[in-house]
Amino acid sequence: MIQEIFANQASRILEKDNEIIGLAVGGSWLSNEIDEYSDLDLILVTKEKISDDKVKMLDIANRIGNLLSGFTGEHVGEPRVLICLYDNPLLHVDIKFLTLSELSHRVETPHILFDRENQVKNILKQSEEHFPLPDYQWIEDRFWIWVHYSLLKIGRGEYFEAFDFFGFLRMVVLGPLLHIKNGNLPRAVRKVELEIDKNDLAELKGTIPKYEKQSLLDSLHNSVDLYRDLRKSLFDENIKLQSETEEKVMEYFKSIEKLKK
C-alpha cells in the first residue's frame, strides 16, 4: 500500500536527524484496516518541543515527500498535528509532533517505525493508552437545551442551521453512544456503517433530514427517541436526568409542530 511505502520512506529520511528520537504510526495501521482511502497517521518524537513552531514542522514535512500543502489542527483541538497533502502519490498524512513526555499521554499505542536507543519503546512501556469516554452527565445536562435550540431554528425557518445541528448531534452524542453500545471505542460516527448493528444504523439514518420543515421535525423526533433508548441502555442510576427540562422542551416541540409551514 502507498501508506506503507510512504511511512518507510519517511522513517529512512528522518532517522538521519539526531534531533529526532523516533517515528511511529497509528490509526488504521494498527488494526490492519488500511485501504486505498485511508490516510496515514504519523507520530514524530523530537528531543525539543517544536509543535509551537509551524515553520519547523513544515520543514520536516517537506523532507519526507512532495508536500503540496499543510496546516495545523487547531480546528480539531490539536495544534500539534500538521495536516498534510502530498503528491506522487496523492496522500493525506497527519503528522503529530510530540516530545517523549507528551507521548506518555495517548489514546492508542502506536507501531514504532524507528526508535533511537529504544527511548520511544521505554516510554510506551512506562505508560498506558487512554481513550476518553463520553461524560453521560455532561450529555444529559445539555441534550434538551440543544433540542430546544434546534426547534427555535426550525420554527424561524433557519433550516440550514437546523440541518447542521443534526451532524453535531451525531458526532457528539448519538455516534459515540451507539459505538459504546456496540462494544467499540466512541469515535464519533467513524465507520458506523461497518461497526454497529444494522438496526442501530437504520435508526441513525433516521436522524438525517431533508431541507424541509416536516423532515427536520421527523429527524429531531427520531434523534430524541434514539437518545432515550441509548440512555436506558447505557446510563446508570448515578446520572441525574433533566426530567423537567425534557418535559418542557417536548411540550414546546408539540407547539412547533402545530405551526403552519
Side-chain angles (χ1 to χ4, degrees):
M1 300 295 289
I2 61 173
Q3 295 89 346
E4 184 176 358
I5 294 171
F6 187 95
N8 290 331
Q9 171 184 288
S11 180
R12 289 193 297 271
I13 292 171
L14 295 177
E15 65 183 341
K16 298 175 183 178
D17 186 337
N18 289 328
E19 294 301 308
I20 296 175
I21 294 173
L23 183 69
V25 59
S28 54
W29 183 295
L30 302 179
S31 55
N32 295 316
E33 294 178 310
I34 287 183
D35 59 27
E36 61 181 308
Y37 303 107
S38 299
D39 60 6
L40 180 63
D41 298 301
L42 295 178
I43 300 96
L44 183 69
V45 185
T46 56
K47 290 182 180 179
E48 302 294 332
K49 182 180 178 69
I50 64 170
S51 59
D52 54 359
D53 189 331
K54 184 180 176 182
V55 173
K56 290 182 179 179
M57 295 166 75
L58 283 169
D59 175 67
I60 290 176
N62 268 300
R63 292 190 224 166
I64 61 176
N66 185 5
L67 181 66
L68 292 172
S69 186
F71 59 91
T72 48
E74 291 86 356
H75 67 294
V76 291
E78 187 49 277
R80 299 175 300 177
V81 171
L82 191 68
I83 300 168
C84 303
L85 185 63
Y86 287 88
D87 197 13
N88 298 321
L90 193 65
L91 180 64
H92 178 125
V93 181
D94 292 340
I95 310 172
K96 181 179 284 190
F97 292 79
L98 301 178
T99 61
L100 273 177
S101 61
E102 289 175 324
L103 183 60
S104 63
H105 305 284
R106 62 189 189 279
V107 299
E108 62 185 10
T109 298
H111 170 75
I112 298 172
L113 295 173
F114 90 83
D115 184 8
R116 205 174 303 282
E117 299 176 357
N118 290 321
Q119 295 179 74
V120 174
K121 180 180 179 180
N122 290 336
I123 201 72
L124 293 179
K125 279 187 175 181
Q126 296 166 15
S127 57
E128 295 182 356
E129 62 185 69
H130 176 70
F131 197 96
L133 299 176
D135 182 330
Y136 295 158
Q137 190 64 65
W138 184 92
I139 291 173
E140 173 67 14
D141 290 346
R142 289 158 176 77
F143 185 83
W144 302 106
I145 296 175
W146 287 337
V147 171
H148 177 258
Y149 185 77
S150 69
L151 287 168
L152 296 178
K153 298 303 177 181
I154 296 171
R156 186 183 286 157
E158 295 181 81
Y159 295 168
F160 274 110
E161 285 213 30
F163 195 96
D164 287 346
F165 165 76
F166 290 97
F168 165 80
L169 201 63
R170 285 189 293 271
M171 290 284 290
V172 175
V173 179
L174 302 177
L177 296 186
L178 281 168
H179 269 308
I180 292 174
K181 178 187 174 185
N182 284 268
N184 307 322
L185 290 176
R187 299 179 185 269
V189 292
R190 182 174 172 79
K191 295 188 177 180
V192 290
E193 294 87 353
L194 304 174
E195 296 184 350
I196 68 173
D197 177 81
K198 64 179 182 180
N199 293 323
D200 288 336
L201 181 60
E203 291 194 38
L204 188 62
K205 288 179 181 178
T207 69
I208 302 174
K210 297 178 182 178
Y211 182 79
E212 56 188 37
K213 179 182 178 181
Q214 191 57 54
S215 179
L216 288 162
L217 290 172
D218 290 343
S219 294
L220 190 56
H221 261 302
N222 292 339
S223 298
V224 167
D225 290 344
L226 179 54
Y227 174 68
R228 283 170 165 167
D229 288 342
L230 289 166
R231 192 172 64 176
K232 289 178 183 178
S233 299
L234 300 175
F235 294 9
D236 61 27
E237 65 277 2
N238 294 317
I239 304 302
K240 180 183 176 181
L241 303 184
Q242 299 296 333
S243 301
E244 183 178 5
T245 307
E246 178 178 352
E247 180 182 353
K248 296 297 183 181
V249 169
M250 294 310 291
E251 288 177 2
Y252 185 69
F253 201 146
K254 292 178 182 178
S255 71
I256 292 296
E257 288 180 305
K258 292 177 182 178
L259 294 175
K260 294 181 179 179
K261 295 183 179 180

